[in-house]
Amino acid sequence: MWHQKCFSRGASHVVKNGQREQIQQYKCRDCGRQFLGGKRRNKQQIITDYMEGKQPRKQLAEKNVVSIRTIERDLEGMRYVQKVL
C-alpha cells in the first residue's frame, strides 16, 4: 500500500486534509505543513539528464510535463552543483 510522505521532511505521519480544485491536500502531523498530493520533479535528475544525457530543455519539459521556463528555473541551480570524481 502506498502512503503519502511529507515533501518537507520525508515524514510519513501525513493525513488527508480536504481538497483544492479536486486535488487531494495533505497535512504533515510532524511539521504542520500542508501540501498537495502528486508527483514532484527530481531536480537533480533533470540536471543530470541535461548535463550527461545531453537532452535539450524542450525535451526535458515534455518528459516531465512542465513548461520550458520551469526547466530553466531548475537548471539555474546547476551553478551550485559540483561533480565529485
Side-chain angles (χ1 to χ4, degrees):
M1 182 178 216
W2 179 80
H3 293 283
Q4 186 72 34
K5 289 191 173 195
C6 178
F7 293 112
S8 171
R9 296 188 178 183
S12 58
H13 297 106
V14 175
V15 294
K16 289 182 178 182
N17 194 28
Q19 290 187 350
R20 183 176 194 173
E21 297 179 11
Q22 298 180 342
I23 298 174
Q24 183 66 54
Q25 289 187 326
Y26 297 91
K27 184 172 184 176
C28 178
R29 287 192 174 182
D30 291 343
C31 66
R33 295 187 95 172
Q34 183 169 315
F35 54 92
L36 298 176
K39 294 181 181 178
R40 296 290 191 255
R41 289 184 320 283
N42 184 348
K43 294 179 184 180
Q44 188 61 42
Q45 185 62 44
I46 290 173
I47 291 171
T48 301
D49 288 347
Y50 183 75
M51 296 292 291
E52 296 174 6
K54 305 292 184 193
Q55 292 183 353
R57 291 175 288 193
K58 183 177 180 180
Q59 187 178 11
L60 288 171
E62 291 170 358
K63 178 180 172 184
N64 291 286
V65 192
V66 294
S67 69
I68 294 174
R69 180 64 187 127
T70 300
I71 295 296
E72 289 172 350
R73 279 194 304 268
D74 291 347
L75 294 176
E76 286 175 0
M78 275 189 347
R79 68 184 107 179
Y80 305 110
V81 176
Q82 294 180 354
K83 188 171 184 177
V84 178
L85 299 175

